[in-house]
Amino acid sequence: MQSVVEKKQGENLSANVRREAEGRSRPLALIRNIGIVAHIDAGKTTTSERILYYTGKIHKIGNVDDGNTVMDWMVQEQERGITITSAATTAYWHDYQINLIDTPGHVDFTAEVERSLRVLDGAVGVFCGVAGVQPQSETVWHQARRYKVPCLAFINKMDRTGARFHWVVELIRERLAVNAVPIQLPIGSEASFEGVIDLLEMKALKFDEASQGATVITEEIPAALKAESEKARAKLCEAVAEGDENIVNEYLENPDLPAEKIRASVRKLAIAGKLVPVLCGTSLHNKGIQPLLDAVVNFLPSPVDIPPVRGHDLKNCEVICEANDFEPQSALAFKVSNDPYLGKLVYVRVYSGQMKKGANVYNPRTKKRERVMRLVRVHANQRQDVDTLFAGEIGALGGLKQFTTGDTLCAENQPVILERIAFPEPVISMAIEPKTSADREKLIATLQIMADEDPTFKVKADPDTGQTIISGMGELHLEVRVKDMMLDYKVNANTGKPVVAYRETIQNSSEAEYVFDREIGGKRAYAKIKISLEPRARGTGNEIIFKVKKDEIPNEYRDFVEQGLRDGLQTGILGNYPLIDLSVFITSAGFDSVDSTELAFRSAAVMGLREALQLAKPTLLEPVMKLEILTPDEHLGEVIGDVNGRRGRVREMHATEAVQAVQADVPLAELFGYSTSLRSLTRGRASYSMEPASFEVVPENLQKTILNR
C-alpha cells in the first residue's frame, strides 16, 4: 500500500515554499498528529517502539519486558512494565511527519489519555487479538469519540494462542458502536500467523524475520485464502459505496472498485468518523507495522483536513483558529512537566500562527504575558531545540512560570480562549506527612509541583486535623506518585492507608437569604444575597448562574460572589466533602453604594450557600467502579457471590475463550485488597480490571457509619 499524495499538497504552493524557507520541515498536509490508545497490556508501547524502528527514529528495538523501550523511559515504567505518563516523539514515514503520543492503558492514568486526545487529530486503537475489546479499550475509544478524533483499529497479538481476528472485529462493532471494516485479513493465526492480506491491492504481505521485519515481501494471495479475500474485498467495496455517494454510480456499474478509489473513500469516511479501518499484526514479532504506518498517512487526517478549532475572545465572541502559519497565534497547553535540566516545560499543540523562541505569549486566564525562553521538540525524555513551532505541530516551551494545563497561549493584541480540558474527579485519598520537620517545606513544595503536572492529583489540608491529604484516581496512582516524590525529589514521607474520596450533593431544591451587616475595622460592611439551589443529573457538575440585575450586584463584586460560592462548594456540610452536581442561582441581592464591600459580598455568598444547603436534603456520594472479571467457569459462582457481598451489581456476563467475563458496578470502598481476595477465591486463575463509572448515593445506614468515624 503506497502513501496517497494528497491534493492539498499541491495547493497554496507559494505558502508552502514560504514555510520551508522559514524552517518548516513539512507542509501542513503532510503532518499527522496521532496517539496510540488501548487497554493496558494490549501492546501500545511495543507498537510505538516498532513504529520508531521502522521510521528510522531508533536503531535498536527495545522491549517492555526488558525495560528498555524508548517511550517508557521513567524508572517506574521500566520496573512495572506499564506506561504511566504519555510520551511524545516525532518520526518520518516517506514524506510524512508523524507526531506520535504513546498513552497509558491503566485507568489510574486516564488523565494522560484525556489531555493527549484533546490535542490529537487521529488515533490508533490497539486491541488484543485474544482478549478483544477490554474495559479500558471502551473508555479510551469513547474519549476519542468525544473529541471527534478519527481512529484506526489495529488488532495486535495475532500470533498468540486464542487469537481470533473476525471475533474481535465483531466485538469492536458491537461494543464500540462503530462501522469497523477490515482492510486487511490475517494469513494464518496463532503460531501459524505469517503476515497480512492487503484487501485494496489484493496482495499478501510477509515480513522477513532475518531483518526483524524491516523487509516487506509482497506475494500473491495464497490459494486457500483467495475466496475469503475476494469476499472481504467485496464487503469493503460495499461499505465505502454505502458511505460515499460520489462513487455509488461507479460501484453499481462495477462493484470491484479500483484500489485508488477505495483508498480515497476510506480516507474520506474515516476522517468523517463514518468508518473505522481495521488492520492486524503482531508488534512483538515485527509483523504488520509498515502497513499500519501506511494506513496512518493514508486514512488519518492532517491538520488541514479537520474543522478549525473554535474558541472565544474576552468578550465571549466566537473566534475561529485556522490551521495556518500566518493566522493569529493560538495554542493549547495540554501538559506541564518539570525537567531536571530545563525546569518547567509546557507542552503545547499549536493550532494557528507560530511560536517563536524569545517572543512573548499571552495568557488570557492570568491576563499576563510571558517570554518563551526555549522551544523544543520532544522525543520521549530527550529534547531537540528549535527556533519555531509552526501551526499543526506539537512541542514544549520553557521559561513560562504561570501557565497550567488547559491554558491558551495567544497574541496579546488578538486574544482567544480555547476550550479547557475536563478531567475526572479523584476517587481515593490518603494522608501524607514528612518523616522529619526538615522535610516539611520540601514536601509541600514537591506536592504542589506534582499537582501542577497531574490535574487528577490533588493536594489539600484537612481543616479538622491539619493533615496533608493527597487524592488521585486509584491505589496505583497514589503509590506511583509517592514513589516519584521519593525517587525524583528525594523527599522522605510517611503515608496513611488509602481512603475513599466521598462527595456530597443535594436531593431537593431550596432557597435561603443571608444579610451580611457587620462593622469591620471601624467601618460598616454590608451585602445581601438570596440563593436558590437545584439538584442536577449525576456527572453534570456544578453551575453558578446570576439572575440579578446589575444594580443589585455591580460587576466589580460579581467575581467575588462567584469565588465565594466556588470556595463554598469545596466543603460540604455533612463531612466537609466537596459538593457536586448542583445548580446555584443568585436570585436577588442588596447593595449599598457606601457600605458594600468585596468581603461583604463574598461572605454573604458563602453563608447564604450554607444555609440553603441545610434545607436541600444533603446526602453523601461514593465512587462506584466498573469492574470486569475474567474467571474460569468453575469459579463463576464464587466470584458472583463475592461481588454481591461487596454491594455490587452484576450488569452483564458473557463467555469468551475458556473463561467467563463478568461486568459489574461495585463501590470503591468495597474493593480495597480485592486483588488478594480474587486470587484466593479462584486459586490465582482469575484476573480483573476496573475504572471509575460514577458517583452514587451511599445507603443511609452506611452514611451514619462513615460520618461518625
Side-chain angles (χ1 to χ4, degrees):
M1 192 188 304
Q2 297 299 311
S3 304
V4 173
V5 179
E6 302 173 45
K7 292 180 181 179
K8 285 189 172 65
Q9 184 182 355
E11 297 173 356
N12 301 318
L13 185 59
S14 60
N16 287 343
V17 170
R18 277 193 292 168
R19 291 189 187 104
E20 293 287 357
E22 292 171 12
R24 176 184 275 282
S25 59
R26 294 292 188 278
L28 268 169
L30 300 185
I31 289 178
R32 300 290 182 271
N33 293 310
I34 69 162
I36 308 291
V37 298
H39 187 90
I40 189 171
D41 202 33
K44 294 178 310 303
T45 300
T46 303
T47 302
S48 299
E49 195 77 8
R50 271 53 180 181
I51 287 174
L52 296 183
Y53 179 70
Y54 295 125
T55 56
K57 187 71 178 183
I58 60 175
H59 303 290
K60 180 182 178 183
I61 296 176
N63 285 312
V64 172
D65 292 341
D66 298 333
N68 60 357
T69 59
V70 171
M71 301 301 269
D72 282 354
W73 56 270
M74 293 175 62
V75 173
Q76 290 202 72
E77 290 177 322
Q78 295 169 353
E79 289 177 351
R80 298 173 187 271
I82 62 171
T83 301
I84 291 171
T85 183
S86 54
T89 190
T90 298
Y92 297 90
W93 182 245
H94 302 319
D95 292 329
Y96 293 81
Q97 176 180 328
I98 299 176
N99 299 319
L100 171 72
I101 297 181
D102 176 30
T103 65
H106 198 286
V107 64
D108 283 17
F109 308 103
T110 187
E112 293 289 327
V113 184
E114 188 79 28
R115 57 183 170 191
S116 298
L117 287 171
R118 171 66 175 80
V119 298
L120 292 172
D121 301 329
V124 176
V126 179
F127 299 88
C128 176
V130 179
V133 180
Q134 297 165 280
Q136 190 65 6
S137 307
E138 294 184 59
T139 300
V140 297
W141 197 274
H142 293 320
Q143 286 174 305
R145 304 309 286 179
R146 185 166 67 249
Y147 290 118
K148 296 181 172 59
V149 175
C151 298
L152 305 176
F154 179 68
I155 300 176
N156 190 27
K157 303 186 179 182
M158 285 303 303
D159 58 331
R160 291 271 297 273
T161 302
R164 293 176 292 169
F165 176 78
H166 294 290
W167 173 73
V168 179
V169 173
E170 284 304 316
L171 276 184
I172 292 172
R173 289 175 183 151
E174 291 172 14
R175 295 197 185 178
L176 305 181
V178 296
N179 183 22
V181 180
I183 60 171
Q184 291 179 349
L185 289 180
I187 301 174
S189 65
E190 301 182 331
S192 63
F193 178 71
E194 295 181 64
V196 300
I197 294 171
D198 176 359
L199 294 176
L200 279 76
E201 301 290 348
M202 290 299 281
K203 294 290 184 182
L205 305 177
K206 296 184 179 180
F207 305 88
D208 178 44
E209 294 185 8
S211 63
Q212 290 188 296
T215 302
V216 181
I217 303 165
T218 303
E219 300 178 351
E220 293 301 314
I221 297 172
L225 296 174
K226 192 76 174 175
E228 182 186 355
S229 301
E230 289 173 352
K231 185 178 177 181
R233 192 179 197 277
K235 287 185 177 179
L236 172 60
C237 291
E238 181 182 350
V240 298
E242 284 179 358
D244 187 354
E245 60 185 23
N246 294 332
I247 63 167
V248 171
N249 292 333
E250 186 173 345
Y251 173 75
L252 293 174
E253 291 177 8
N254 179 15
D256 189 20
L257 295 168
E260 285 304 317
K261 289 284 186 181
I262 299 174
R263 188 174 289 116
S265 291
V266 169
R267 175 177 179 78
K268 176 182 175 181
L269 296 172
I271 291 174
K274 296 179 180 179
L275 184 147
V276 175
V278 182
L279 302 92
C280 62
T282 168
S283 299
L284 184 63
H285 291 108
N286 313 316
K287 295 175 183 175
I289 302 302
Q290 294 94 326
L292 175 62
L293 282 164
D294 284 334
V296 165
V297 300
N298 286 337
F299 305 130
L300 291 182
S302 72
V304 295
D305 293 317
I306 57 176
V309 171
R310 297 173 183 269
H312 62 272
D313 61 18
L314 300 181
K315 295 180 181 178
N316 212 31
C317 297
E318 186 179 75
V319 177
I320 297 175
C321 304
E322 296 279 355
N324 189 309
D325 295 338
F326 307 103
E327 288 288 308
Q329 183 185 80
S330 68
L332 185 74
F334 67 94
K335 180 175 178 174
V336 174
S337 72
N338 279 275
D339 187 281
Y341 304 106
L342 304 181
K344 184 176 180 178
L345 280 179
V346 178
Y347 288 70
V348 299
R349 159 69 190 268
V350 183
Y351 286 104
S352 62
Q354 303 175 26
M355 293 281 161
K356 290 185 176 291
K357 181 180 177 181
N360 289 329
V361 291
Y362 183 68
N363 186 341
R365 178 181 62 84
T366 62
K367 296 181 173 56
K368 293 182 179 179
R369 64 175 180 267
E370 295 188 55
R371 185 178 294 277
V372 178
M373 304 305 294
R374 194 166 184 179
L375 277 176
V376 296
R377 284 200 183 96
V378 181
H379 175 49
N381 62 332
Q382 300 172 22
R383 317 281 183 247
Q384 175 194 351
D385 282 285
V386 294
D387 292 326
T388 308
L389 287 176
F390 297 90
E393 294 193 323
I394 292 173
L397 284 65
L400 305 181
K401 300 185 183 303
Q402 298 186 43
F403 279 86
T404 62
T405 300
D407 281 348
T408 302
L409 298 83
C410 60
E412 189 171 2
N413 61 342
Q414 291 179 291
V416 59
I417 302 172
L418 302 177
E419 181 186 354
R420 294 186 71 86
I421 307 170
F423 294 103
E425 287 287 320
V427 298
I428 192 170
S429 59
M430 66 165 59
I432 187 168
E433 60 183 22
K435 282 194 173 180
T436 67
S437 57
D439 288 323
R440 180 170 299 280
E441 288 187 11
K442 192 175 181 182
L443 172 68
I444 298 301
T446 299
L447 290 176
Q448 191 55 57
I449 290 171
M450 296 172 72
D452 289 342
E453 291 183 347
D454 184 351
T456 58
F457 180 76
K458 306 289 187 184
V459 183
K460 69 175 184 179
D462 188 301
D464 296 326
T465 64
Q467 285 182 304
T468 299
I469 306 295
I470 56 175
S471 305
M473 299 306 299
E475 290 181 84
L476 179 62
H477 186 201
L478 293 184
E479 181 185 329
V480 165
R481 293 293 169 247
V482 169
K483 194 168 181 181
D484 278 346
M485 182 182 66
M486 296 177 180
L487 287 174
D488 298 340
Y489 296 95
K490 313 301 181 190
V491 178
N492 295 314
N494 296 317
T495 57
K497 290 183 178 179
V499 296
V500 175
Y502 293 100
R503 295 289 183 269
E504 296 180 28
T505 194
I506 58 173
Q507 300 180 80
N508 294 340
S509 299
S510 68
E511 193 172 69
E513 182 178 87
Y514 191 86
V515 178
F516 187 91
D517 192 352
R518 299 181 188 176
E519 188 174 294
I520 300 174
K523 292 184 178 181
R524 182 185 179 221
Y526 171 82
K528 181 175 76 171
I529 287 183
K530 191 173 185 179
I531 288 172
S532 66
L533 303 179
E534 290 181 10
R536 302 187 76 195
R538 198 67 63 237
T540 54
N542 299 328
E543 64 175 1
I544 297 173
I545 298 174
F546 286 83
K547 289 188 171 181
V548 293
K549 298 176 182 177
K550 289 185 178 180
D551 59 351
E552 292 182 87
I553 304 180
N555 285 336
E556 62 263 31
Y557 296 124
R558 290 195 175 210
D559 285 347
F560 294 94
V561 171
E562 183 171 345
Q563 187 58 52
L565 292 172
R566 293 199 183 281
D567 289 347
L569 291 171
Q570 292 301 309
T571 308
I573 61 173
L574 295 177
N576 294 329
Y577 299 110
L579 288 143
I580 61 172
D581 301 335
L582 69 156
S583 296
V584 183
F585 299 98
I586 300 94
T587 56
S588 68
F591 163 73
D592 188 293
S593 59
V594 176
D595 294 326
S596 286
T597 65
E598 298 166 353
L599 175 63
F601 269 107
R602 191 181 187 286
S603 301
V606 173
M607 301 308 294
L609 174 65
R610 299 196 75 76
E611 289 192 3
L613 288 170
Q614 297 282 0
L615 304 172
K617 197 179 178 183
T619 190
L620 201 62
L621 299 174
E622 64 179 346
V624 173
M625 311 300 284
K626 184 164 72 174
L627 183 70
E628 180 173 85
I629 309 156
L630 300 179
T631 179
D633 287 342
E634 60 263 37
H635 297 296
L636 182 61
E638 295 101 311
V639 167
I640 292 176
D642 184 61
V643 167
N644 292 334
R646 296 173 184 270
R647 296 192 285 126
R649 298 188 305 271
V650 175
R651 289 187 293 106
E652 183 184 340
M653 289 188 294
H654 60 269
T656 62
E657 191 80 9
V659 296
Q660 291 283 342
V662 179
Q663 294 186 355
D665 294 331
V666 186
L668 176 63
E670 306 291 341
L671 289 174
F672 291 121
Y674 183 64
S675 178
T676 303
S677 298
L678 185 64
R679 280 199 300 269
S680 176
L681 272 178
T682 63
R683 300 175 188 174
R685 297 178 63 195
S687 62
Y688 78 97
S689 61
M690 64 179 179
E691 59 181 284
S694 62
F695 279 90
E696 295 184 9
V697 175
V698 178
E700 198 166 328
N701 61 318
L702 288 177
Q703 286 199 33
K704 294 176 181 177
T705 304
I706 293 166
L707 295 172
N708 290 332
R709 282 175 182 166

